[in-house]
Amino acid sequence: MAKSPSHELGEYLGWFIENMMIFEIQPVADELGLYLDHEHLRKARNGNKKVRWFDKHQNHHDLDIVLEKDGTDEKVGSPVAFIEMAWRRYTKHSKNKAQEISDSIMSVVEVNQQFKPFYSTVLAGEFTQSSITQLKSRGFKVLYFSYSDVCKAFDKAVGVNIYFDEKTPEKQLQSIYNKLKVLSDDEVGLVRSELINLCKDDFDDFIKKLKSSVERKILKIFVIPEFENRSPFFQVNDAVKFLKNLDLDLEKSNSNYAKIRIEIEFSNGDKTYGEFSSKENAIDFINKS
């Protein structure tokens, strides 16, 4: 079935926003030594294109951008950032989309909480303030490109008026799409630069928060065997050494409280914790944090 001009136009603008963010975040990933995963053929997933992560129920979630520590094309690394994107022309479905993003990302973050990943969404088009507030209330960092700014960017950079609404005739929608689909890579780059410039303060703040999360340093590690007094450490090696010398055989213990609790505080204010029944798992948790 042929797609309507409205659908094709929406798909193009969604593609533009997604590829703009990939282009802008790739240098940041390179600077931080991270692997930027997005939809493309990758050996680490047997050549599949989808960026697919799983929740605790083994339901899969196809994501837009994931930044990985120690990831390569051949090996999946530790997720340190999840960035989901969405384009909507009209607000009537924006709240549902925000809820969909929230549920999907949070379920993946839950099973990767030991990495305390940065999770965010990039919205473009028309979204209600309540949908944006809903995402922020769950800890999302939100970068929003308004429909007005997107229109300004295309008009100023390449002279294409992309404004349309529900009353716009299909012939006009087709004309807009025809102009967009023949834009060269250089022209798309001009639009991308113009939109980033229009939203420079918000974009710079988004990148700053992303970097702050990824570049955070461990301030303290609390090791609490059997929920006894805390043992604070300021170096990973010291905490690991303590655990290795810990005279506990937790796996063989019949006590319900014979566990090791790890609490880690980071330089950007983040905290993460875990409870383990083996020293080996506790050490692995610290080393990956």
Side-chain angles (χ1 to χ4, degrees), residues 33-95:
L34 302 174
Y35 181 85
L36 189 157
D37 196 17
H38 60 91
E39 187 173 314
H40 73 291
L41 298 176
R42 185 181 179 187
K43 293 179 182 178
R45 46 176 173 260
N46 298 318
N48 292 325
K49 294 177 65 176
K50 295 289 186 181
V51 181
R52 182 162 290 178
W53 288 74
F54 294 84
D55 60 30
K56 66 181 180 181
H57 302 295
Q58 289 304 300
N59 299 311
H60 73 262
H61 301 269
D62 294 334
L63 308 178
D64 292 327
I65 292 178
V66 179
L67 298 180
E68 300 172 7
K69 180 181 179 182
D70 299 323
T72 66
D73 196 51
E74 293 79 20
K75 182 187 74 171
V76 176
S78 305
V80 296
F82 295 104
I83 304 173
E84 198 67 2
M85 289 164 279
W87 158 268
R88 284 293 180 273
R89 171 61 187 93
Y90 308 110
T91 60
K92 56 187 176 183
H93 299 305
S94 65
K95 192 169 181 62

Side-chain angles (χ1 to χ4, degrees), residues 2-178:
K3 296 178 181 177
S4 69
S6 177
H7 185 71
E8 288 183 318
L9 187 51
E11 280 193 338
Y12 178 90
L13 293 171
W15 167 86
F16 170 78
I17 295 298
E18 183 171 341
N19 280 269
M20 177 184 73
M21 293 308 298
I22 292 171
F23 182 90
E24 295 293 338
I25 293 176
Q26 184 63 68
V28 179
D30 293 341
E31 176 188 341
L32 299 175
L34 302 174
Y35 181 85
L36 189 157
D37 196 17
H38 60 91
E39 187 173 314
H40 73 291
L41 298 176
R42 185 181 179 187
K43 293 179 182 178
R45 46 176 173 260
N46 298 318
N48 292 325
K49 294 177 65 176
K50 295 289 186 181
V51 181
R52 182 162 290 178
W53 288 74
F54 294 84
D55 60 30
K56 66 181 180 181
H57 302 295
Q58 289 304 300
N59 299 311
H60 73 262
H61 301 269
D62 294 334
L63 308 178
D64 292 327
I65 292 178
V66 179
L67 298 180
E68 300 172 7
K69 180 181 179 182
D70 299 323
T72 66
D73 196 51
E74 293 79 20
K75 182 187 74 171
V76 176
S78 305
V80 296
F82 295 104
I83 304 173
E84 198 67 2
M85 289 164 279
W87 158 268
R88 284 293 180 273
R89 171 61 187 93
Y90 308 110
T91 60
K92 56 187 176 183
H93 299 305
S94 65
K95 192 169 181 62
N96 288 339
K97 185 59 179 178
Q99 185 64 52
E100 176 188 324
I101 291 172
S102 178
D103 291 344
S104 179
I105 293 296
M106 294 308 296
S107 64
V108 174
V109 168
E110 180 184 10
V111 297
N112 292 284
Q113 63 91 19
Q114 72 267 36
F115 305 113
K116 201 65 178 177
F118 173 89
Y119 56 98
S120 62
T121 183
V122 178
L123 306 177
E126 295 282 0
F127 282 83
T128 62
Q129 186 57 51
S130 63
S131 63
I132 294 173
T133 300
Q134 174 186 345
L135 287 163
K136 288 183 176 180
S137 71
R138 299 201 68 184
F140 280 82
K141 306 300 184 292
V142 179
L143 175 60
Y144 178 43
F145 298 100
S146 71
Y147 182 60
S148 174
D149 283 335
V150 175
C151 288
K152 288 177 185 176
F154 275 93
D155 189 25
K156 187 173 181 179
V158 293
V160 178
N161 180 3
I162 68 165
Y163 180 84
F164 65 95
D165 57 27
E166 293 176 304
K167 295 181 180 179
T168 302
E170 284 204 358
K171 185 177 181 180
Q172 186 176 340
L173 291 172
Q174 188 66 59
S175 176
I176 296 171
Y177 174 68
N178 288 343

Side-chain angles (χ1 to χ4, degrees), residues 251-283:
E251 293 85 347
K252 296 179 181 179
S253 174
N254 293 320
S255 173
N256 292 327
Y257 57 83
K259 294 180 183 297
I260 297 175
R261 180 180 175 88
I262 304 296
E263 296 180 3
I264 300 177
E265 296 180 4
F266 296 95
S267 55
N268 68 337
D270 284 348
K271 295 180 181 180
T272 188
Y273 69 91
E275 293 180 359
F276 306 93
S277 60
S278 74
K279 291 187 291 185
E280 290 72 22
N281 288 341
I283 291 171

